[in-house]
Amino acid sequence: MNKSRLRSIYSIPYTAWILLFVLAPIALIVYYSFFDLAGNFTLANYRNFFTSVYLKLTISSFWYAFLITFFSLLIAYPTAYLLTKTRHKHLWLLLIIIPSWINLLLKTYAFIGLMGLYGPLNAFLETIGIGKQQILFTDFSFVFVSVYIFIPFMILPIFNALDKLNPALIDASRDLGASSWTTFRRVIWPLTTNGVKSGIQVVFIPALSLFMITRLIAGNKVITLGTAIEQQFLVTQNWGMGSTIAVFLIVFMFIIMIVTNGKEKGASDNGKAR
C-alpha cells in the first residue's frame, strides 16, 4: 500500500468529523436563516439584521470583545515575558493554565459569590469605609470576569512566541546601542506578533459570542450577539432570526481569522538559507 493511499485512509475520520460537526451544522444554520416563524421562505431576517437594533447590538458585541481582548493582551504579554525569564517557567505556566480546566459555570458562580452584596469584596469595602457597592450586573464585572477566564488562552501563544525568540538578537540590539524600548519595539514585538495574533484569535472570537457569563455576571446590562442568539432560539422561538444572527457571527469570525492570520516571520529566509 503506497503512502498516498494510506494517507487518504487516515484522513477519512478527520473528513467525516469536519462534514458532520462543522459543515453540516453551518449548512443547517444557513438553511434555517431563510425561514420565518411560520416556516415560510423569506429574506426578511437578513433585512432585519441591518436595522438599528441589531446594528447597535453588533457594535456593542465588538466593543466588549475589543475591551476583553485589549485588557487580556495588556496583562498577558508582560506576564508571558516574565515567565520566560523565570527558572521554572513551564511550572509557572502550568499553574496559570490549571484554572482553565475548571468548569466555566463553576468559576462564574464563584465570582457571583465574591462580587455579591454580601460577598467578601463588599465586606472589604465596608471595612475600609466605602460601603457596599453594586459590583455584579455591571460592565466592569462582565469585562473583569471575562478577562480572568480568557487570560490563560492569551498567555499561552505569546509565551511560546517569546520562548522561541533567539536571545542573541536582543543582545545584538543592546550592543548596537538600542534602548530597552527600541529593542522591544524593533526586535521583540515584531518577532512575537504571530503569538499575539493567535492570542487575539482565541480571545476575541469567543468573546463575540459570550452568553452565559453575560447572563449570570452582567444580567440584562450587557447584550451581545451570543445572548441575542440565545433569546431568539429559547425565548421567542424564532429560529430563523437566531440562525441569521449566527450566520453573521460566523462571517465575522472568518474575517477575524483571515485578518489575524500571518506567516511566521523569518520562515522564507530560513528556507532560502538552506
Side-chain angles (χ1 to χ4, degrees):
M1 186 178 293
N2 56 36
K3 288 184 178 180
S4 60
R5 187 174 179 183
L6 193 63
R7 193 180 296 113
S8 300
I9 293 172
Y10 286 153
S11 67
I12 290 174
Y14 174 78
T15 305
W17 179 275
I18 294 295
L19 287 172
L20 290 174
F21 299 108
V22 178
L23 297 179
I26 291 175
L28 281 173
I29 288 170
V30 174
Y31 172 77
Y32 279 116
S33 68
F34 291 105
F35 292 91
D36 58 17
L37 275 168
N40 301 316
F41 180 85
T42 181
L43 294 175
N45 294 325
Y46 286 89
R47 288 196 299 268
N48 290 336
F49 185 84
F50 290 99
T51 59
S52 60
V53 174
Y54 290 103
L55 288 178
K56 287 179 181 178
L57 183 65
T58 303
I59 293 170
S60 175
S61 297
F62 272 88
W63 172 244
Y64 283 113
F66 167 77
L67 288 178
I68 293 165
T69 306
F70 174 76
F71 286 116
S72 296
L73 178 60
L74 197 64
I75 297 169
Y77 201 99
T79 303
Y81 183 79
L82 290 173
L83 283 176
T84 59
K85 303 300 179 184
T86 57
R87 186 175 180 182
H88 304 289
K89 53 188 177 183
H90 292 101
L91 175 61
W92 288 108
L93 181 66
L94 179 64
L95 292 175
I96 291 173
I97 294 172
I98 281 175
S100 66
W101 299 351
I102 301 171
N103 184 273
L104 179 60
L105 187 60
L106 292 177
K107 288 189 286 189
T108 305
Y109 274 110
F111 274 106
I112 291 174
L114 287 170
M115 295 179 170
L117 283 175
Y118 301 99
L121 283 180
N122 267 310
F124 173 74
L125 292 177
E126 274 195 305
T127 303
I128 62 176
I130 296 177
K132 290 183 178 180
Q133 301 293 321
Q134 181 62 52
I135 303 174
L136 272 180
F137 310 129
T138 60
D139 291 356
F140 166 78
S141 62
F142 170 65
V143 174
F144 181 87
V145 174
S146 300
V147 168
Y148 166 80
I149 288 168
F150 284 122
I151 272 181
F153 304 104
M154 179 70 82
I155 289 177
L156 191 57
I158 295 174
F159 172 86
N160 289 332
L162 286 167
D163 198 40
K164 290 191 296 183
L165 187 64
N166 189 349
L169 297 173
I170 300 173
D171 294 337
S173 175
R174 289 172 179 168
D175 290 342
L176 292 170
S179 63
S180 298
W181 169 245
T182 303
T183 300
F184 172 77
R185 184 170 56 89
R186 302 294 295 272
V187 179
I188 299 174
W189 177 261
L191 293 176
T192 56
T193 50
N194 284 327
V196 173
K197 288 178 180 179
S198 297
I200 290 172
Q201 280 186 4
V202 297
V203 172
F204 192 92
I205 292 175
L208 269 180
S209 57
L210 286 173
F211 70 93
M212 186 180 69
I213 299 173
T214 311
R215 285 289 187 199
L216 296 176
I217 299 295
N220 294 322
K221 297 292 181 68
V222 176
I223 303 295
T224 63
L225 290 172
T227 53
I229 293 170
E230 181 201 21
Q231 285 179 348
Q232 294 294 339
F233 274 98
L234 301 181
V235 180
T236 63
Q237 298 291 309
N238 190 348
W239 287 30
M241 194 63 224
S243 298
T244 303
I245 301 171
V247 167
F248 280 100
L249 185 59
I250 292 169
V251 171
F252 295 149
M253 289 178 177
F254 273 112
I255 292 171
I256 293 162
M257 289 178 68
I258 292 168
V259 170
T260 56
N261 191 30
K263 186 174 68 174
E264 188 173 354
K265 291 182 181 294
S268 59
D269 294 334
N270 292 337
K272 289 177 182 178
R274 291 190 186 97

